[in-house]
Amino acid sequence: MSPASPAAAARLRALKPDWLSDPKVWRTEVLAGLVVGLALIPEAISFSIIAGVDPAIGLFAAFTMAVTISIVGGRRAMISAATGAVALVIAPLNREHGFGYLVAAVILAGVFQIVLGALGVAKLMRFVPRSVMVGFVNALAILIFMAQVPEMHDVPWAVYPLIVGGLLLMVFFPKVTKVVPAPLVSITVLTVITVAAGIAVPTVGDKGELPSSLPVPGLPDVPFTLSTLTTIAPYALAMALVGLMESLMTAQLVDDITDTRSNKTRESIGQGIANIVTGFFGGMGGCAMIGQTMINVRVSGARTRLSTFLAGVFLMMLCVVFGPVVSDIPMAALVAVMVMVCFATFDWHSIAPKTLKRMPAGEITVMVITVVIVVATSNLAIGVVVGSVTAMVIFARRVAHLAEVTPALDPDGDRVVYSVTGELFFASSNDLVTQFDYAADPDKVVIDLSATHIWDASSVAALDAIETKYAQRGKSVEIIGLNEPSADLHRTLSGTLGGGH
């Protein structure tokens, strides 16, 4: 057998995951997965309570989502599991119709996400401005912190020094060594202290009973009828849209942090597949988790699919095999980790006085609106939509004022040339008709559009109206300088829109 060519060997090396060839990367990914697995447990239990289901349902969802998305997802190192946004969407369905309908909705939501992903919904991310993205990140940090406040309210006094100690460990331990993630050290040390000293503080076990066995697949317990479909479809569509919005925004955030690109279409379809798998295993569904993703990527330094896969595996292993030990982890340790994530996630540069002085008022407004809406609704998707719409309105108003008309009369006075600059679309073309002197202009009028572009039917209708007003006075209009797309649009629509009426 002949040896492989150097090119073939290079291709094989490129296909081989980093963690297989680099022990340092492997260690980072494994430890990051363990930290995230630990942090997922109380979160998944909390989201189960929001959805009104047994804690095991949220934990099963976290396990199946993480493992499945690590294989089919488009963004490496991103964590997907049961989330609060999804729990809020499907909670009314579970409350009114029962758990079987919830599971059926999760499966249908997965189908919707696959369809939306195949239709190219990920391309809509290009319409999300940077100011919305910054607002999204800052709002996320605020929400993560707000979620920790209940864990610091009406608790034994010992919780507070434990949280402070956990934060100090995470700040200073990396200065000693970065071989082991500081959050893992913090969780371990605080657990040992509380157990050894017998300190009575809230623990993970107080959140709910951990499952003692693996989930098994099965069909949702609902009648397979049109009535069932019409009942679950609105909830499934809402879940699909919210899940995709959060997942794509999180993927974009990880792209920026790691200076790498991800396949958003694959991620959209992957989220759908993960939700279908989760539904068939009796989970409550989910999407990308920004807080846990930040622990994985920013705090622990993970960069590959291995950390995502192991987060799910460790989660289930910790619950099933080491349940009693995990139950003893003080909530203060996990609160400290999440508070550190808040500080690491918040874009402090965006609110620095120097930055705010240079930033246009419209950009600051969009960022603030995004933050306020997200924090007020606890829904990242609503904030992103409102912020993006606000940014588009501000942009349209700004561009609308850029269309200018400048007249130039020929020396012999027998014709006038109007030069139009700026973009012509519905917002700017509305004022276009008023910028011509129909009564005083000579009989020949030339409108030079070489410095503009016609974007829509409103602009063609405005030009028709201008020609009609001059024609009513017995004057002729010649339009020159149209670029090819503008000329095609004008030729197709001119005279058919009623612009002169």
Side-chain angles (χ1 to χ4, degrees):
M1 185 182 290
S2 60
S5 67
R11 279 196 299 272
L12 281 172
R13 280 195 301 274
L15 290 171
K16 192 182 196 181
D18 292 341
W19 55 269
L20 278 178
S21 53
D22 189 338
K24 185 179 178 183
V25 173
W26 186 86
R27 184 178 63 242
T28 299
E29 299 297 312
V30 171
L31 293 175
L34 180 58
V35 173
V36 174
L38 284 166
L40 277 172
I41 293 172
E43 294 274 301
I45 294 173
S46 299
F47 299 145
S48 300
I49 294 167
I50 292 171
V53 298
D54 189 80
I57 305 302
L59 291 163
F60 288 158
F63 165 61
T64 53
M65 285 292 297
V67 169
T68 307
I69 206 68
S70 70
I71 299 166
V72 300
R75 172 66 258 178
R76 291 183 297 173
M78 191 165 78
I79 305 297
S80 289
T83 58
V86 168
L88 287 169
V89 169
I90 59 176
L93 179 64
N94 180 62
R95 190 167 55 248
E96 293 168 19
H97 297 279
F99 180 65
Y101 282 82
L102 181 149
V103 172
V106 169
I107 295 170
L108 183 59
V111 174
F112 282 148
Q113 287 177 327
I114 291 173
V115 172
L116 290 168
L119 290 175
V121 70
K123 292 176 183 174
L124 294 176
M125 282 300 296
R126 71 181 70 176
F127 296 107
V128 178
R130 184 187 177 279
S131 52
V132 173
M133 192 71 192
V134 172
F136 166 82
V137 169
N138 290 346
L140 162 69
I142 294 169
L143 283 181
I144 293 173
F145 182 80
M146 287 171 62
Q148 311 314 309
V149 172
E151 304 297 338
M152 296 183 275
H153 177 67
D154 195 22
V155 292
W157 68 267
V159 167
Y160 304 110
L162 286 172
I163 292 173
V164 173
L167 289 170
L168 290 173
L169 269 171
M170 284 183 283
V171 169
F172 294 107
F173 187 79
K175 299 181 188 301
V176 179
T177 177
K178 293 184 179 179
V179 171
V180 182
L184 182 58
V185 174
S186 177
I187 292 169
T188 304
V189 170
L190 294 188
T191 303
V192 169
I193 289 173
T194 53
V195 172
I199 302 172
V201 291
T203 64
V204 170
D206 296 332
K207 286 287 182 181
E209 191 177 343
L210 302 180
S212 57
S213 61
L214 294 173
V216 292
L219 293 174
D221 184 17
V222 294
F224 291 89
T225 62
L226 183 60
S227 174
T228 299
L229 182 62
T230 55
T231 300
I232 66 173
Y235 295 95
L237 183 60
M239 176 185 161
L241 294 173
V242 168
L244 283 181
M245 178 78 76
E246 290 211 23
S247 298
L248 292 174
M249 291 292 287
T250 307
Q252 185 63 51
L253 182 58
V254 178
D255 288 356
D256 294 341
I257 291 171
T258 60
D259 288 325
T260 57
R261 295 185 65 183
S262 58
N263 187 331
K264 306 295 190 304
T265 297
R266 177 177 172 181
E267 182 60 39
S268 303
I269 295 171
Q271 288 290 330
I273 295 170
N275 272 307
I276 290 172
V277 171
T278 298
F280 280 120
F281 274 92
M284 58 181 273
C287 61
M289 293 192 77
I290 306 172
Q292 271 62 26
T293 297
M294 289 299 100
I295 294 175
N296 198 45
V297 175
R298 181 165 267 169
V299 179
S300 302
R303 292 293 183 270
T304 77
R305 296 177 185 275
L306 180 63
S307 56
T308 307
F309 178 82
L310 289 178
V313 172
F314 282 143
L315 161 71
M316 198 48 50
M317 191 183 298
L318 288 165
C319 291
V320 175
V321 182
F322 301 102
V325 176
V326 172
S327 295
D328 287 336
I329 295 175
M331 284 303 299
L334 297 171
V335 169
V337 171
M338 297 311 292
V339 169
M340 183 61 74
V341 168
C342 296
F343 281 97
T345 302
F346 198 92
D347 187 347
W348 298 100
H349 176 73
S350 67
I351 60 169
K354 194 181 293 185
T355 305
L356 294 175
K357 280 181 186 176
R358 291 199 301 264
M359 191 77 71
E363 302 276 312
I364 297 172
T365 301
V366 169
M367 181 179 74
V368 171
I369 286 175
T370 303
V371 171
V372 169
I373 295 294
V374 170
V375 172
T377 63
S378 297
N379 191 314
L380 294 160
I382 293 175
V384 170
V385 170
V386 173
S388 297
V389 170
T390 304
M392 290 175 188
V393 170
I394 291 172
F395 174 75
R397 284 175 59 85
R398 191 183 303 153
V399 175
H401 297 301
L402 296 180
E404 295 183 357
V405 179
T406 308
L409 191 65
D410 274 5
D412 54 10
D414 66 344
R415 78 169 194 163
V416 63
V417 178
Y418 283 92
S419 299
V420 182
T421 58
E423 303 300 312
L424 290 182
F425 67 112
F426 63 89
S428 59
S429 60
N430 286 337
D431 296 330
L432 190 66
V433 181
T434 64
Q435 299 191 50
F436 292 82
D437 193 349
Y438 302 102
D441 280 343
D443 291 341
K444 288 191 67 176
V445 178
V446 177
I447 302 177
D448 184 1
L449 299 178
S450 55
T452 188
H453 183 95
I454 297 176
W455 288 102
D456 58 10
S458 297
S459 304
V460 177
L463 292 171
D464 283 355
I466 293 166
E467 289 188 78
T468 301
K469 287 180 181 294
Y470 275 116
Q472 288 169 348
R473 293 167 174 78
K475 301 173 183 180
S476 65
V477 175
E478 181 186 6
I479 296 175
I480 64 170
L482 286 170
N483 58 37
E484 193 173 334
S486 299
D488 287 342
L489 186 63
H490 186 262
R491 190 164 45 247
T492 303
L493 298 179
S494 183
T496 67
L497 301 169
H501 299 292

